Amino acid sequence: MSGLGIDASFLDLPFRHLADVALGRAADLGVTHADFRFERVRYQDLHVRDGSLLGTQDSSDVGFAVRVVHGGAWGFASGVVLTEDEARHVAERAVEVARVAAAMTTVPVELADEPVYPDVSWTSPYEIDPLEVPVAEKVALLVDFTERLRAHDVVGHATAGLRQVRENKFYADLAGTRTTQQRVRLMPEVTAMGADAERGIFDSMTSIAPPVGRGWEYLVGRPDAGGWDWDAELAEMPDLLAEKLRAPSVEAGTYDLVIHPSNLWLTIHESIGHATELDRALGYEANYAGTSFATYDQLGSLRYGSPVMNVTGDRTAPHGLASIGWDDEGVATQSWDIVKDGVLVGYQLDRVMGRQKLELNDGRSNGCAYADSPGHIPIQRMANVSLQPDPDGPSTEGLIERVERGIYVVGDKSWSIDMQRYNFQFTGQRFYKIEDGRLAGQLRDVAYQATTTDFWGSMEAVGGPETYVLGGAFNCGKAQPGQVASVSHGCPTALFRGVRILNTGEEAGK
């Protein structure tokens, strides 16, 4: 996997020398493990409303971190001054932290083995670095997006936003691994807003274009060359909004659902992705969004869903938001099974958990340690967790044809899930009534509600590879102090039988 290569201005920074100084000082102080991570992360956000630029924001994080194991305990410290003295002092502070932590550590830290990668590099696949495109060109494109939407009477206001990230990272450890990496990612979002004055209804329609690990070509390229079909999506959004404003409110009850990947990715994220993080399953991560119903004693026996449910963790997926070559512990990233034929068979691991659970992944980490900045310690983080399509599965239309009375769900919106990732509720951008195998107009005020195992157990069929879309988010939160990560979730369109539907208006007492 390769993109444009590592940015020369990053390669000119003194990270290799600082790593040698910091690791050498840690070794002198008697550590059993030490790693050094140097990062430069640049962000740029653009926001447009009704044809006018609201604002731009540029920011960057540059710094380094030293993590050690000393006396059987973790120690961590970071710095932003790029000098030999600072590298030495940061290593000393990390050892001091470990000495304090050792008095409170009852289980000594041990790391799973990992091969040494002496001097390797990786860049994500993209064609045009978005941060090298002139801001005026990017603003002009977003302005054009909103103007196209506002040309329709139903659209009262239109907004467009774009977040761009370029991440450079160097990792080194005492074992001899040295990795240098670069990746880019984009998150565009366009929203049209309108109102039905007679009914007193206001609503919105947001684009379903997912965030991706691609370059500027995603905004301006042909659909068959890595671009999103913005012309098609922008052309249909006003009519979709008008139909949504006219749509009748849903009658609460039990329906069969056909769910598009633009909605289902979020249900995967909340009910499978977080639930199969091993630190949650073991109870180590609890305060921020809870633990997991998928506890370790159920590995190999928990019926997570129907036999057509196959879920993988994958940090190697092309254009995935969590894709990279090596994680923040120097582990080569991998793809593995989490749910096989509906049964829980795997978890997401870092090197400590890989050592604790030798029966998983042959006692090796599967590359899920990650920090969101040089100022934070790596934690066990989510891979691209994806539902696999049926190689011979039907099209979306083929799935809809199987339904006599149901609802077709497109696009994500709000969600709620409990602290064990079990009881949940999701809404969406738009909902279509299905009657006798055909779409019969939009519905409003829809939310689907279930427990995780009941919902995935009701999945009767998944679509074929042509229905598969890699969705995702930039803002997955975890840990204390809180960290934010990007992650993708791929899935096909899927058919679920007998899911409870709420009328959100009635639930709100309207």
Side-chain angles (χ1 to χ4, degrees), residues 79-100:
V80 297
V81 179
L82 309 185
T83 64
E84 284 187 20
D85 284 346
E86 181 68 358
R88 193 176 298 108
H89 292 156
V90 167
E92 291 167 352
R93 289 202 299 272
V95 172
E96 290 172 7
V97 170
R99 285 174 173 152
V100 173

mmCIF file of all heavy atoms in Angstrom, residues 79-100:
data_model
loop_
_atom_site.group_PDB
_atom_site.id
_atom_site.type_symbol
_atom_site.label_atom_id
_atom_site.label_comp_id
_atom_site.label_asym_id
_atom_site.label_seq_id
_atom_site.Cartn_x
_atom_site.Cartn_y
_atom_site.Cartn_z
ATOM 1 N N GLY A 79 6.832 15.512 25.482
ATOM 2 C CA GLY A 79 7.402 16.845 25.389
ATOM 3 C C GLY A 79 7.219 17.440 24.007
ATOM 4 O O GLY A 79 6.907 16.722 23.043
ATOM 5 N N VAL A 80 7.411 18.755 23.919
ATOM 6 C CA VAL A 80 7.263 19.446 22.644
ATOM 7 C C VAL A 80 8.513 20.209 22.239
ATOM 8 O O VAL A 80 8.576 20.781 21.148
ATOM 9 C CB VAL A 80 6.053 20.413 22.676
ATOM 10 C CG1 VAL A 80 4.763 19.648 22.870
ATOM 11 C CG2 VAL A 80 6.230 21.474 23.763
ATOM 12 N N VAL A 81 9.522 20.275 23.115
ATOM 13 C CA VAL A 81 10.770 20.952 22.797
ATOM 14 C C VAL A 81 11.718 19.926 22.168
ATOM 15 O O VAL A 81 12.061 18.919 22.804
ATOM 16 C CB VAL A 81 11.408 21.569 24.064
ATOM 17 C CG1 VAL A 81 12.723 22.242 23.705
ATOM 18 C CG2 VAL A 81 10.444 22.549 24.709
ATOM 19 N N LEU A 82 12.143 20.171 20.939
ATOM 20 C CA LEU A 82 12.854 19.151 20.168
ATOM 21 C C LEU A 82 14.367 19.275 20.351
ATOM 22 O O LEU A 82 15.112 19.596 19.416
ATOM 23 C CB LEU A 82 12.463 19.257 18.689
ATOM 24 C CG LEU A 82 10.956 19.274 18.404
ATOM 25 C CD1 LEU A 82 10.686 19.261 16.910
ATOM 26 C CD2 LEU A 82 10.238 18.143 19.104
ATOM 27 N N THR A 83 14.815 19.020 21.590
ATOM 28 C CA THR A 83 16.238 19.088 21.893
ATOM 29 C C THR A 83 16.689 17.810 22.598
ATOM 30 O O THR A 83 15.882 17.070 23.163
ATOM 31 C CB THR A 83 16.554 20.281 22.822
ATOM 32 O OG1 THR A 83 15.902 20.066 24.085
ATOM 33 C CG2 THR A 83 16.060 21.593 22.208
ATOM 34 N N GLU A 84 18.010 17.579 22.582
ATOM 35 C CA GLU A 84 18.558 16.406 23.273
ATOM 36 C C GLU A 84 18.217 16.438 24.764
ATOM 37 O O GLU A 84 17.836 15.416 25.346
ATOM 38 C CB GLU A 84 20.083 16.374 23.109
ATOM 39 C CG GLU A 84 20.552 15.932 21.759
ATOM 40 C CD GLU A 84 22.075 15.763 21.760
ATOM 41 O OE1 GLU A 84 22.655 15.628 22.862
ATOM 42 O OE2 GLU A 84 22.672 15.775 20.665
ATOM 43 N N ASP A 85 18.378 17.612 25.388
ATOM 44 C CA ASP A 85 18.101 17.705 26.823
ATOM 45 C C ASP A 85 16.655 17.331 27.129
ATOM 46 O O ASP A 85 16.377 16.619 28.101
ATOM 47 C CB ASP A 85 18.387 19.134 27.321
ATOM 48 C CG ASP A 85 19.882 19.406 27.453
ATOM 49 O OD1 ASP A 85 20.662 18.417 27.422
ATOM 50 O OD2 ASP A 85 20.254 20.588 27.561
ATOM 51 N N GLU A 86 15.734 17.833 26.310
ATOM 52 C CA GLU A 86 14.327 17.533 26.560
ATOM 53 C C GLU A 86 14.047 16.036 26.366
ATOM 54 O O GLU A 86 13.298 15.428 27.138
ATOM 55 C CB GLU A 86 13.437 18.361 25.627
ATOM 56 C CG GLU A 86 11.937 18.142 25.818
ATOM 57 C CD GLU A 86 11.402 18.662 27.157
ATOM 58 O OE1 GLU A 86 12.207 19.176 27.969
ATOM 59 O OE2 GLU A 86 10.185 18.547 27.386
ATOM 60 N N ALA A 87 14.649 15.423 25.331
ATOM 61 C CA ALA A 87 14.442 13.985 25.117
ATOM 62 C C ALA A 87 14.945 13.187 26.320
ATOM 63 O O ALA A 87 14.295 12.235 26.783
ATOM 64 C CB ALA A 87 15.165 13.545 23.847
ATOM 65 N N ARG A 88 16.085 13.605 26.842
ATOM 66 C CA ARG A 88 16.643 12.920 28.014
ATOM 67 C C ARG A 88 15.741 13.121 29.241
ATOM 68 O O ARG A 88 15.441 12.162 29.974
ATOM 69 C CB ARG A 88 18.051 13.473 28.281
ATOM 70 C CG ARG A 88 18.879 12.672 29.250
ATOM 71 C CD ARG A 88 20.289 13.228 29.378
ATOM 72 N NE ARG A 88 21.028 13.181 28.126
ATOM 73 C CZ ARG A 88 21.337 14.240 27.369
ATOM 74 N NH1 ARG A 88 20.962 15.461 27.761
ATOM 75 N NH2 ARG A 88 21.998 14.094 26.244
ATOM 76 N N HIS A 89 15.268 14.346 29.433
ATOM 77 C CA HIS A 89 14.427 14.643 30.600
ATOM 78 C C HIS A 89 13.076 13.933 30.514
ATOM 79 O O HIS A 89 12.539 13.466 31.528
ATOM 80 C CB HIS A 89 14.219 16.159 30.721
ATOM 81 C CG HIS A 89 15.461 16.892 31.072
ATOM 82 N ND1 HIS A 89 15.649 18.232 30.774
ATOM 83 C CD2 HIS A 89 16.602 16.489 31.680
ATOM 84 C CE1 HIS A 89 16.851 18.603 31.185
ATOM 85 N NE2 HIS A 89 17.450 17.570 31.748
ATOM 86 N N VAL A 90 12.507 13.849 29.307
ATOM 87 C CA VAL A 90 11.226 13.157 29.153
ATOM 88 C C VAL A 90 11.390 11.680 29.491
ATOM 89 O O VAL A 90 10.537 11.077 30.162
ATOM 90 C CB VAL A 90 10.674 13.354 27.726
ATOM 91 C CG1 VAL A 90 9.517 12.394 27.449
ATOM 92 C CG2 VAL A 90 10.201 14.796 27.542
ATOM 93 N N ALA A 91 12.493 11.066 29.060
ATOM 94 C CA ALA A 91 12.737 9.669 29.403
ATOM 95 C C ALA A 91 12.866 9.500 30.920
ATOM 96 O O ALA A 91 12.336 8.541 31.503
ATOM 97 C CB ALA A 91 14.005 9.183 28.702
ATOM 98 N N GLU A 92 13.539 10.427 31.563
ATOM 99 C CA GLU A 92 13.697 10.344 33.026
ATOM 100 C C GLU A 92 12.349 10.495 33.731
ATOM 101 O O GLU A 92 12.072 9.788 34.705
ATOM 102 C CB GLU A 92 14.675 11.425 33.496
ATOM 103 C CG GLU A 92 16.114 11.165 33.038
ATOM 104 C CD GLU A 92 17.026 12.371 33.230
ATOM 105 O OE1 GLU A 92 16.508 13.463 33.584
ATOM 106 O OE2 GLU A 92 18.249 12.223 32.997
ATOM 107 N N ARG A 93 11.501 11.411 33.233
ATOM 108 C CA ARG A 93 10.175 11.585 33.856
ATOM 109 C C ARG A 93 9.336 10.330 33.676
ATOM 110 O O ARG A 93 8.574 9.935 34.579
ATOM 111 C CB ARG A 93 9.462 12.799 33.254
ATOM 112 C CG ARG A 93 10.050 14.139 33.643
ATOM 113 C CD ARG A 93 9.033 15.267 33.493
ATOM 114 N NE ARG A 93 8.575 15.414 32.119
ATOM 115 C CZ ARG A 93 9.185 16.166 31.207
ATOM 116 N NH1 ARG A 93 10.305 16.811 31.519
ATOM 117 N NH2 ARG A 93 8.695 16.271 29.992
ATOM 118 N N ALA A 94 9.425 9.690 32.505
ATOM 119 C CA ALA A 94 8.669 8.457 32.289
ATOM 120 C C ALA A 94 9.086 7.379 33.293
ATOM 121 O O ALA A 94 8.241 6.662 33.849
ATOM 122 C CB ALA A 94 8.865 7.963 30.851
ATOM 123 N N VAL A 95 10.381 7.272 33.549
ATOM 124 C CA VAL A 95 10.864 6.282 34.527
ATOM 125 C C VAL A 95 10.390 6.651 35.932
ATOM 126 O O VAL A 95 9.997 5.773 36.725
ATOM 127 C CB VAL A 95 12.392 6.168 34.452
ATOM 128 C CG1 VAL A 95 12.918 5.293 35.594
ATOM 129 C CG2 VAL A 95 12.815 5.603 33.098
ATOM 130 N N GLU A 96 10.392 7.948 36.251
ATOM 131 C CA GLU A 96 9.903 8.374 37.573
ATOM 132 C C GLU A 96 8.431 7.991 37.749
ATOM 133 O O GLU A 96 8.014 7.544 38.825
ATOM 134 C CB GLU A 96 10.070 9.891 37.713
ATOM 135 C CG GLU A 96 11.515 10.339 37.834
ATOM 136 C CD GLU A 96 11.648 11.858 37.764
ATOM 137 O OE1 GLU A 96 10.593 12.543 37.751
ATOM 138 O OE2 GLU A 96 12.787 12.328 37.689
ATOM 139 N N VAL A 97 7.635 8.181 36.716
ATOM 140 C CA VAL A 97 6.213 7.807 36.792
ATOM 141 C C VAL A 97 6.088 6.304 37.044
ATOM 142 O O VAL A 97 5.270 5.853 37.857
ATOM 143 C CB VAL A 97 5.493 8.216 35.500
ATOM 144 C CG1 VAL A 97 4.082 7.622 35.456
ATOM 145 C CG2 VAL A 97 5.420 9.734 35.372
ATOM 146 N N ALA A 98 6.899 5.505 36.341
ATOM 147 C CA ALA A 98 6.838 4.054 36.521
ATOM 148 C C ALA A 98 7.215 3.668 37.960
ATOM 149 O O ALA A 98 6.616 2.752 38.540
ATOM 150 C CB ALA A 98 7.765 3.363 35.528
ATOM 151 N N ARG A 99 8.188 4.336 38.529
ATOM 152 C CA ARG A 99 8.592 4.010 39.902
ATOM 153 C C ARG A 99 7.446 4.266 40.884
ATOM 154 O O ARG A 99 7.214 3.500 41.815
ATOM 155 C CB ARG A 99 9.825 4.833 40.283
ATOM 156 C CG ARG A 99 11.110 4.321 39.629
ATOM 157 C CD ARG A 99 12.271 5.244 39.901
ATOM 158 N NE ARG A 99 13.533 4.664 39.422
ATOM 159 C CZ ARG A 99 14.572 5.372 39.042
ATOM 160 N NH1 ARG A 99 14.531 6.708 39.107
ATOM 161 N NH2 ARG A 99 15.676 4.778 38.640
ATOM 162 N N VAL A 100 6.724 5.369 40.670
ATOM 163 C CA VAL A 100 5.564 5.650 41.536
ATOM 164 C C VAL A 100 4.467 4.618 41.289
ATOM 165 O O VAL A 100 3.861 4.081 42.230
ATOM 166 C CB VAL A 100 5.036 7.073 41.257
ATOM 167 C CG1 VAL A 100 3.734 7.320 42.020
ATOM 168 C CG2 VAL A 100 6.085 8.110 41.643
#
